[in-house]
Amino acid sequence: MTRYLTRTPPPPGRLRVFCFPYAGGGASAYAGWQRRITADAELLPVQLPGREGRMAEPRFTDLHDLVADLDAELGPELDHPHVLYGHSMGALIAFALAQHRHARGARLPAALVLGGHRAPHLPAPLPDEPDIPDADLVRTLDAYGGLPRILLDHPEWLAALLPIVRDDLRLCAAAGTVARTPLPVALHAFGGAEDRLVTVPEVREWARYSTRESEINVVPGGHFFPREAPGFPELLSAVLRRYEAAPGAIPGTAPGPAGAGQA
């Protein structure tokens, strides 16, 4: 099994849902989600290097290098019907991976499900200042709602997390360098109604990146709405059901869900 996955992929024929974490997060962000989604889809949380079970490995700070490594490692699994899902930084990684595979003519996902990230043609919400002092970085992230509240109550956790966050912000700073080709893939974007880091109009801009149907969903909560909206895994499950019986997408033939539109 590839080092990026925390569980064994299902047998062929079952929809695979690769889940990418937010900045500073790991595969554990999706703990418990499997039992809350459709039984015909298998959630595969992606564990990036330099965190949780891969803490001893060096972290990527270049988005394109990370995506190339993901493609090389996950390639055999991505040749089966699949969906890419990511939140915040994870949404950017999922989109960049789809663009990378599209450019080389590889199989594409049946759908992209992207949450809590603005469309890549928009300017980054946070300044790219790698040497910003820790206290200023925390204040900036907190001002935008970009830190889970529990971390602010546990300074020792926050101190351990900040080096990972810094490297992940370097990844996010490359959003503007990702290819912006509209993809032949259905796209579902989620935004938090109270998100101060990524506004709903910025999430709506994702619609231009699909030549198939696109759907923009606004849910209660701030930037970490998957935690704040108790029923979010069930909302994701409703999206996944549209693709359970789909044969998966190949370049130029990605199926779109019937009746999808913009909210």
Side-chain angles (χ1 to χ4, degrees):
M1 184 176 72
T2 172
R3 57 194 174 139
Y4 277 105
L5 298 181
T6 59
R7 63 178 60 163
T8 302
R14 193 175 183 199
L15 183 68
R16 300 163 184 223
V17 186
F18 296 89
C19 301
F20 298 90
Y22 47 81
S28 64
Y30 300 107
W33 283 34
Q34 179 64 57
R35 64 177 179 269
R36 299 177 63 185
I37 67 164
T38 169
D40 292 325
E42 181 80 15
L43 285 190
L44 296 173
V46 175
Q47 187 69 281
L48 302 179
R51 64 207 74 207
E52 296 182 347
R54 301 182 66 185
M55 186 64 75
E57 299 178 41
R59 291 183 290 273
F60 282 93
T61 57
D62 183 280
L63 177 63
H64 300 283
D65 288 346
L66 170 60
V67 165
D69 196 57
L70 283 166
D71 190 25
E73 288 273 342
L74 295 176
E77 308 306 332
L78 295 171
D79 284 336
H80 298 278
H82 67 279
V83 167
L84 299 182
Y85 166 72
H87 183 75
S88 196
M89 178 187 75
L92 173 63
I93 294 172
F95 179 70
L97 178 58
Q99 288 284 2
H100 179 86
R101 289 177 61 80
H102 182 260
R104 70 178 190 84
R107 185 175 192 149
L108 297 180
L112 280 169
V113 185
L114 310 176
H117 199 286
R118 62 187 60 195
H121 64 277
L122 299 174
L126 297 173
D128 182 15
E129 300 177 25
D131 298 322
I132 184 173
D134 283 356
D136 292 342
L137 177 59
V138 169
R139 278 193 293 269
T140 299
L141 291 172
D142 184 42
Y144 283 103
L147 283 175
R149 297 304 306 174
I150 191 171
L151 289 177
L152 298 176
D153 297 330
H154 292 83
E156 69 280 10
W157 296 358
L158 186 58
L161 183 67
L162 280 179
I164 301 173
V165 171
R166 286 182 180 277
D167 284 346
D168 286 352
L169 290 178
R170 292 183 175 95
L171 286 176
C172 295
T177 68
V178 176
R180 301 176 188 177
T181 306
L183 297 172
V185 171
L187 190 152
H188 303 263
F190 285 84
E194 292 83 42
D195 192 341
R196 288 171 282 155
L197 187 63
V198 181
T199 67
V200 170
E202 291 167 336
V203 173
R204 293 189 188 279
E205 290 291 310
W206 277 110
R208 69 172 65 187
Y209 291 98
S210 172
T211 61
R212 307 291 179 180
E213 288 82 358
S214 62
E215 183 177 66
I216 311 301
N217 303 275
V218 180
V219 298
H223 188 63
F224 291 99
F225 58 81
R227 292 179 173 181
E228 299 165 10
F232 184 77
E234 286 74 17
L235 292 178
L236 175 62
S237 183
V239 172
L240 298 178
R241 286 194 188 97
R242 305 183 191 186
Y243 304 100
E244 288 171 349
I250 58 176
T253 63
Q262 292 190 38

